Amino acid sequence: MPQAVRFDEYGGIDVLRVAEVNRPDPGPGQVLVRMRATGINPGEAKIRQGLLAQRWPATFPSGQGSDLAGVVEEVGEGVTGFAVGDEVIGFTDNRASHAELVVVETANLIHKPAGVSWEAAGSLYVAGATAWAMVHAVSAGPGDTVVVSGAAGGVGSIAVQLAKLAGATVIGLASEANHPWLASHGVIPVSYGDSVADRIKAASGGRVDAFLDTQGGGYVELALELGVRPERIDTIADFAAKQTYGVKIDGNAVGGNAQVLGELAALVDQGRLEIPIANTYSLAQVQDAYRELERGHTQGKIVLKP
């Protein structure tokens, strides 16, 4: 029987388990994908912990995971455009991709370009679509100076590159260990901590036009202190700031579609966008993978390889 990650109650990492499940069958307009890689994301940890229960409640036993990449194993009735053996990238909204076999709507799939690794493909959707939405939310472009908090994380590492591709000057807030990677991608690295506002002012020449906050914890207030207009601040971690300050909270829900996924995959295939991979784990090591994620200091994405 195929295996899948499950949890039966809200809680810490120890509630995660790998269970044998019935083989899923694709329905009309669906395909069955044998997974090669699937990214893990902070939002999944928060859902499992029950921190988002009011917004996104779980039904137990619950699966998890949205990102997916693999090979089509079976096609459902009426499917066109995809065939058994096709290599695909996609997503599911059913919390089901941390598994060996996943049923996916064909509307949520694209063909995997040859130049995109399985690791990058499997971790592209959630972080990539979120970064895409954030950059578009603040209309980053030529002449702009954009600051990104958590600039070396899963979302931030993509957002800094997309903002650069849009023509902006990008300042990335990150620990010193991640400064070489940022600098190698044309990003101005700035360290966190006391007097960060002064360091940003020095790096920007005193003008910041837009701010992308991937972390919360006061960065919206920092952006306002730096003189950024609320409509050019986007946060994916401080949802209350929308009502308090009028900033934007555009994220995966805005960028989450196959068209955006196709744009991102094409950039990766062309060598214009890197998806940094911090580490890979087997499905059986799912607890270890989330331990690393929840330490909060990874550069790029953590990937499960079923």
Side-chain angles (χ1 to χ4, degrees):
M1 296 176 71
Q3 293 187 323
V5 174
R6 292 285 185 267
F7 60 100
D8 300 312
E9 59 183 337
Y10 292 125
I13 291 169
D14 60 329
V15 303
L16 292 174
R17 60 188 176 89
V18 177
E20 291 189 342
V21 297
N22 293 327
R23 178 185 172 90
D25 295 314
Q30 299 177 326
V31 301
L32 182 66
V33 175
R34 182 165 291 279
M35 297 291 293
R36 292 290 183 86
T38 173
I40 70 172
N41 298 284
E44 292 150 3
K46 292 179 180 177
I47 288 172
R48 185 203 71 236
Q49 292 163 357
L51 300 177
L52 301 176
Q54 288 190 325
R55 178 178 283 213
W56 295 303
T59 301
F60 301 115
S62 177
Q64 65 176 11
S66 300
D67 295 324
L68 62 91
V71 179
V72 175
E73 182 146 311
E74 185 179 341
V75 298
E77 181 182 346
V79 168
T80 59
F82 294 94
V84 173
D86 284 357
E87 297 182 347
V88 293
I89 308 173
F91 60 94
T92 173
D93 295 323
N94 298 324
R95 301 182 189 172
S97 69
H98 295 170
E100 291 180 331
L101 293 171
V102 183
V103 168
V104 190
E105 305 288 336
T106 56
N108 297 347
L109 285 176
I110 62 169
H111 289 92
K112 185 180 83 68
V116 181
S117 71
W118 283 117
E119 291 83 359
S123 55
L124 186 58
Y125 169 68
V126 170
T130 301
W132 183 96
M134 295 185 80
V135 171
H136 282 73
V138 301
S139 303
D144 287 330
T145 297
V146 180
V147 177
V148 181
S149 69
V155 174
S157 62
I158 300 174
V160 294
Q161 295 178 77
L162 294 180
K164 282 289 296 180
L165 288 171
T169 297
V170 182
I171 296 172
L173 304 184
S175 61
E176 289 190 11
N178 293 316
H179 286 192
W181 183 88
L182 290 169
S184 72
H185 288 74
V187 177
I188 303 168
V190 168
S191 297
Y192 291 117
D194 295 341
S195 303
V196 65
D198 293 335
R199 289 192 291 277
I200 292 172
K201 290 174 185 176
S204 66
R207 195 197 80 194
V208 175
D209 301 289
F211 200 108
L212 306 181
D213 169 35
T214 73
Q215 292 186 302
Y219 283 103
V220 168
E221 288 81 4
L222 173 63
L224 293 167
E225 177 189 336
L226 291 167
V228 184
R229 301 196 311 271
E231 66 270 20
R232 301 205 72 188
I233 300 170
D234 191 75
T235 178
I236 57 168
D238 187 357
F239 297 118
K242 177 180 174 64
Q243 185 171 355
T244 305
Y245 302 113
V247 304
K248 295 181 176 179
I249 55 171
D250 290 11
N252 180 258
V254 176
N257 58 68
Q259 180 178 343
V260 169
L261 185 59
E263 289 181 31
L264 295 168
L267 290 172
V268 177
D269 187 44
Q270 295 159 10
R272 300 172 67 200
L273 176 66
E274 179 191 355
I275 309 301
I277 304 301
N279 214 338
T280 61
Y281 293 87
S282 69
L283 202 63
Q285 296 173 307
V286 63
Q287 291 191 4
D288 294 332
Y290 274 94
R291 281 191 192 94
E292 179 173 350
L293 178 79
E294 292 177 32
R295 283 197 290 268
H297 297 291
T298 55
Q299 179 189 313
K301 295 292 298 178
I302 297 171
V303 184
L304 296 177
K305 300 189 74 175

